[in-house]
Amino acid sequence: MTMERITGKLSDQPLLFQYTIKLVLLVAFLELILYRLVSRLGMHLSKLAADHQWIIPTFTALTEIGQWLLNAVAILLFLGLTVGMLNRLAGRGWTGVNIVTVPCVALLLLLTIGFLLVPPTMVGSAMYNSVALTAIWLLMSEYLTTHRERSHRVLGVVYLLGISGWLYYQIVSTFYSFIGTVAAPPFVYEFHRGGEALMVLASVLVYWAYGRGLSFRSRNQRQRRRAIWFWGTSGSIFIGMLFLDYLLNRYDPLLANNIRKGADGIGWIFQFGMGYTFYLPFALYMAGLLCWSYTVIKLLTMGRLAGYGLGLMFIAGYALLYSNLTLMVVLGVMLLTMDRYRRETTDSAPAVNAPMLGSPDRLAGDHI
């Protein structure tokens, strides 16, 4: 007999790895809020600083805290990747895909340390992004081979193609700038826009792959109420975002123009913080945010490594402008590969205290 069980519990890992992953996710989320988003918001509110004196010192202090968190998350990422690679070697040995994956991730860490000491040139940046792309492809290939569910494989392929669009844009643009040609790189903007669309789609597919369970057909009243609340709220926000500009323009064109300017400011903040240009309808981004946040919170409450992996992968955003964001994606995909089902063989237990006499049916059929 065979049975399947989840091997992706964080509690099954060593204590050092457990606390490192928890701290990485927490510090990365705070760094996203305080540094990549709030600091850009302070730049956007520079006109109001002349009338309100508290704006400049407040956002300056938040930016300094964000920079400290940036260094902290970089150290934790180094520790998490190092311990993760050592655990892979201890559990699987120097065989299979580890022969290529472990040296590739180790080379990425060495390049990160080297570029901290010596600023990278164009060739160094292209090399770094190429190694990162190779490591992500290797880890995601392992994820696709070890996960048999269709939803998991679709999510893995869509995310891989999405993040590859940004890395292709960076590698090809850097190479063309290095050789000094004025010709436009082939399909570089198409890959950039397509990668962003695929990343938004992947944030929605996260719910299909890992967050299913909210159904109106459930007999559990609590789950049914949760489904009504979640889908009702999500549907209302999605429909409202689609027709908000049209309705406001019909109601008050001046109010619609002011809200449109505010939305442009929010888009500018997220573009510099996470790399999204918001060329798609804003409702799609909100749908992805709702699906991703619900799924990650659900997986974190279950203690599964997939929750930590998906959290890091999408907290890093689309534009991997810093090395810590690239390492965040690599660690997130690695955690995603560790969360899977494992088939185990179980033997039937021998009979204990079996009766000395036969069954009543057998006795009835025998001659006495």
Side-chain angles (χ1 to χ4, degrees):
M1 298 178 61
T2 60
M3 62 177 298
E4 292 185 349
R5 70 182 184 92
I6 299 176
T7 61
K9 294 288 187 178
L10 183 63
S11 58
D12 297 337
Q13 304 298 322
L15 287 178
L16 178 60
F17 191 71
Q18 292 183 33
Y19 289 112
T20 302
I21 297 303
K22 291 179 180 180
L23 288 176
V24 164
L25 183 63
L26 176 61
V27 178
F29 179 74
L30 294 177
E31 182 267 335
L32 169 65
I33 300 299
L34 296 178
Y35 183 71
R36 283 187 278 160
L37 298 182
V38 173
S39 61
R40 270 72 178 185
L41 179 62
M43 296 169 59
H44 188 68
L45 298 178
S46 59
K47 296 181 180 179
L48 298 177
D51 300 330
H52 304 279
Q53 300 297 329
W54 58 270
I55 292 180
I56 294 179
T58 300
F59 282 94
T60 301
L62 293 176
T63 303
E64 292 179 355
I65 296 175
Q67 291 178 352
W68 180 83
L69 293 174
L70 183 67
N71 298 327
V73 74
I75 297 173
L76 292 173
L77 286 170
F78 270 91
L79 180 60
L81 285 171
T82 303
V83 176
M85 288 294 101
L86 293 177
N87 290 339
R88 287 171 66 93
L89 291 176
R92 307 179 190 178
W94 194 259
T95 58
V97 72
N98 281 350
I99 299 177
V100 184
T101 304
V102 174
C104 188
V105 176
L107 177 60
L108 186 65
L109 294 176
L110 292 176
L111 289 176
T112 305
I113 297 175
F115 291 153
L116 290 176
L117 302 175
V118 180
T121 59
M122 291 185 180
V123 178
S125 299
M127 182 189 307
Y128 186 85
N129 289 323
S130 300
V131 175
L133 181 61
T134 305
I136 295 173
W137 270 82
L138 290 172
L139 290 171
M140 190 57 74
S141 299
E142 180 183 351
Y143 173 80
L144 295 176
T145 55
T146 55
H147 289 71
R148 295 169 295 175
E149 294 189 18
R150 182 181 180 183
S151 58
H152 292 177
R153 292 184 174 182
V154 172
L155 170 63
V157 171
V158 171
Y159 181 85
L160 180 61
L161 294 178
I163 203 67
S164 298
W166 166 260
L167 292 174
Y168 172 83
Y169 168 78
Q170 286 292 99
I171 295 170
V172 176
S173 300
T174 304
F175 177 75
Y176 270 66
S177 299
F178 173 73
I179 63 178
T181 181
V182 295
F187 303 106
V188 65
Y189 295 107
E190 289 80 4
F191 273 91
H192 183 271
R193 290 296 184 93
E196 180 177 346
L198 290 175
M199 285 289 290
V200 176
L201 178 60
S203 64
V204 178
L205 293 176
V206 164
Y207 176 83
W208 179 41
Y210 290 97
R212 287 177 295 178
L214 290 178
S215 176
F216 298 107
R217 301 178 181 179
S218 176
R219 296 182 180 180
N220 192 325
Q221 295 183 358
R222 179 179 298 179
Q223 293 182 358
R224 191 181 304 171
R225 286 195 297 267
R226 290 178 180 177
I228 294 174
W229 178 86
F230 178 79
W231 291 115
T233 304
S234 303
S236 301
I237 293 176
F238 183 78
I239 296 175
M241 288 294 177
L242 284 178
F243 299 98
L244 180 62
D245 186 73
Y246 172 75
L247 296 176
L248 288 176
N249 195 23
R250 293 292 300 270
Y251 175 73
D252 189 354
L254 181 60
L255 178 62
N257 188 29
N258 293 332
I259 294 178
R260 198 177 297 117
K261 290 181 179 178
D264 292 338
I266 295 175
W268 180 82
I269 294 171
F270 275 89
Q271 180 178 358
F272 281 90
M274 302 187 68
Y276 294 108
T277 60
F278 287 88
Y279 76 95
L280 297 173
F282 188 73
L284 297 178
Y285 295 92
M286 288 300 301
L289 177 62
L290 288 174
C291 293
W292 170 80
S293 58
Y294 168 79
T295 305
V296 170
I297 292 174
K298 176 184 176 180
L299 293 176
L300 291 180
T301 55
M302 297 171 61
R304 293 181 57 178
L305 285 169
Y308 295 90
L310 293 172
L312 292 175
M313 289 162 58
F314 287 92
I315 285 176
Y318 177 59
L320 307 180
L321 297 176
Y322 305 105
S323 59
N324 68 307
L325 301 180
T326 304
L327 298 179
M328 202 178 297
V329 172
V330 174
L331 180 59
V333 178
M334 183 190 303
L335 295 176
L336 205 62
T337 60
M338 297 170 63
D339 186 299
R340 61 179 181 270
Y341 288 90
R342 183 175 63 187
R343 303 190 65 181
E344 293 184 345
T345 303
T346 57
D347 298 330
S348 58
V352 180
N353 297 329
M356 297 180 63
L357 296 177
S359 62
D361 295 339
R362 184 176 179 180
L363 289 175
D366 291 342
H367 297 281
I368 302 178

